[in-house]
Amino acid sequence: MSFKALSILAAFIGAANAAITRRVACPDGVHTATNAACCALFPIVDDIQTNLFDGGECGEETHESLRLTFHDAIGFSLSKGAAGGGGADGSMITFADIETNFHANNGIDEIVGEQAPFIAKHNITAGDFIQLAGAVGLSNCPGAPQLEFLFGRPAATAPAPDLTVPEPFDTITDILARFADTGFSPAEVVALLASHTVAAADHVDPSIPGTPFDSTPFTFDTQVFVEVQLRGTLFPGDGPNQGEVQSPLHGEIRLQSDHDLARDSRTACFWQANVNQQAHMASSFKAAMAKLAVLGQDTSTMVDCSEVIPVPPPFTGTATIPAGLSQNDIEQACATAPFPALQVAPGPQTSVAPVPPS
C-alpha cells in the first residue's frame, strides 16, 4: 500500500473515531454527554449528592441506597417468567405499600421514603432512580468501582412476589438456588457481597442499630472478607440470636449467611480470593452489579449513561488482621489455597463504632 493510501486510511479512521466520540452540549451550559438523553441526569446527580448523600458522604443513605438496588432488582425469576417479578423496575417504590411489608425488606421503607420525593421532583422512573442513586452513592466510597448505569427502564406494572429476596438465615443451598434462578453463579453471589464492606444493620438486631459488617464501613475495601473469616463465638442463651456466630470484634455484626458462604465448599475459595485483592474485588463487584441493575430489562432500548456516575476516590491501603488478633484467628475454609498472610493492625483492639444516622 502506498504512503498516500495509508494517509487517506489514517484520516478516515481519525474522522470515524471523532464521530464516535463527539459529544453534545447539555442545556445547562455546563455538561456535555455522548448521548443527549443523558443530559437530564446531571441535575439529578447534583441534587442527590447534595440532599440525599449529605454533600457526598459514604454514609447511611449510601449504604441503604445500595441495599435498595439489590432488593428491588432481585425480584425476578428465570423459571417463573412474568410471575417471578419484573427485576430492576422500581416496583419497591412504585408498590411500596406491598413490598416494604415483606419480611426480607424490613427497614427498607426508610430509604424508600427518602428517595420517593426525588423521583417525583425529577420525573424519572423509580427503576432508573433506584439504580442511579445506588451507583452515585457508592461513588462516594473510597476504593469503589465506577458502576455502569443504563438509562431507560419503564415504569413497574406490578409488585415483585414475596420470598424472592434471600435472608440471612436461609441455607446456602437455598441462597444459591435463588440466585441461580436469576442467572447468577456462586462466584457472582460472592462478588455482590462486596457491598457488605460499606454496610450496616439496623434491623438484624434492633437492639444495636447502625452496626457495621466490618471495621471500615466508609471504605470499599476487602476488610469484610477478612473479618468474616475470623473465628467467632456462638451467641449465648436462648434468645432470637441463638445459634448465630458473632464476630470477635466488639461493635461489629456478622450475618449468618456471610459466615456460612465464607465456609461453604461451593463459595469459600471465591470468598477468600477477595482478601487483599482490591482490584479483583472491585472489578468483580462492578461486573455483577452491571448484571443485577438490568435484571428483567430490555437493554437494547436503553442508553448507556455511565459517564454521569462520578469517579470514586481511590483506596491505597491494605487489608489487615484486626489489632489484638493474629493469623491463627483465621478459620481456614478454602481447600485449595491457604489464607493470605496479612499484617496485624497496630495498637490494642478497639470497639467498632456504629454508623451514625443522618
Side-chain angles (χ1 to χ4, degrees):
M1 184 180 292
S2 69
F3 178 78
K4 181 177 180 180
L6 283 172
S7 298
I8 294 173
L9 178 61
F12 175 78
I13 293 174
N17 287 338
I20 291 172
T21 59
R22 184 175 297 158
R23 302 178 67 83
V24 298
C26 294
D28 62 7
V30 176
H31 297 98
T32 62
T34 54
N35 190 301
C38 302
C39 288
L41 299 174
F42 287 111
I44 304 177
V45 172
D46 291 342
D47 190 8
I48 61 179
Q49 281 286 58
T50 300
N51 298 307
L52 180 61
F53 300 128
D54 299 320
E57 291 186 356
C58 182
E60 183 180 30
E61 276 66 36
T62 286
H63 302 168
E64 291 300 311
S65 293
L66 191 58
R67 180 188 181 215
L68 183 55
T69 64
F70 171 74
H71 282 245
D72 182 59
I74 204 66
F76 175 78
S77 170
L78 292 171
S79 63
K80 296 180 180 179
D89 61 356
S91 64
M92 185 70 71
I93 290 180
T94 304
F95 299 97
D97 56 331
I98 296 173
E99 291 193 40
T100 60
N101 289 312
F102 296 163
H103 184 267
N105 295 332
N106 185 24
I108 213 162
D109 58 312
E110 297 171 11
I111 191 63
V112 164
E114 289 187 63
Q115 289 194 6
F118 290 95
I119 295 170
K121 175 181 178 181
H122 291 287
N123 191 30
I124 184 174
T125 67
D128 275 340
F129 185 84
I130 287 173
Q131 299 302 326
L132 177 67
V136 172
L138 186 67
S139 75
N140 298 321
C141 303
Q146 182 187 29
L147 296 184
E148 295 178 13
F149 177 71
L150 299 189
F151 185 34
R153 296 166 184 77
T157 58
D162 197 1
L163 305 178
T164 56
V165 181
E167 298 205 56
F169 287 99
D170 289 347
T171 68
I172 299 306
T173 295
D174 287 345
I175 290 173
L176 295 181
R178 174 79 276 273
F179 273 100
D181 192 33
T182 64
F184 283 84
S185 68
E188 290 172 321
V189 173
V190 174
L192 286 173
L193 290 175
S195 62
H196 287 180
T197 191
V198 287
D202 286 329
H203 299 278
V204 174
D205 186 340
S207 68
I208 46 173
T211 310
F213 296 157
D214 76 1
S215 58
T216 57
F218 308 111
T219 305
F220 193 89
D221 58 15
T222 70
Q223 200 63 32
V224 70
F225 292 100
V226 177
E227 293 171 15
V228 171
Q229 207 72 58
L230 294 170
R231 299 181 192 279
T233 56
L234 291 176
F235 272 97
D238 57 358
N241 299 111
Q242 183 183 21
E244 183 178 348
V245 179
Q246 59 186 345
S247 170
L249 302 182
H250 182 69
E252 180 176 294
I253 196 167
R254 178 183 297 180
L255 296 183
Q256 188 64 37
S257 52
D258 283 358
H259 175 91
D260 294 345
L261 283 161
R263 291 159 177 79
D264 190 281
S265 61
R266 293 165 288 185
T267 49
C269 292
F270 297 131
W271 186 278
Q272 182 178 291
N274 289 295
V275 174
N276 214 23
Q277 297 295 322
Q278 182 74 23
H280 167 76
M281 182 189 73
S283 62
S284 298
F285 180 73
K286 179 174 181 174
M289 280 297 296
K291 186 173 176 177
L292 179 80
V294 294
L295 280 180
Q297 304 303 305
D298 180 2
T299 58
S300 70
T301 66
M302 303 172 76
V303 178
D304 187 347
C305 292
S306 302
E307 63 190 310
V308 309
I309 308 301
V311 177
F315 169 74
T316 57
T318 58
T320 60
I321 302 291
L325 300 175
S326 73
Q327 198 84 15
N328 292 333
D329 292 296
I330 295 294
E331 189 172 10
Q332 175 71 38
C334 176
T336 58
F339 197 87
L342 302 175
Q343 292 186 340
V344 177
Q349 188 176 131
T350 59
S351 178
V352 180
V355 174
S358 60

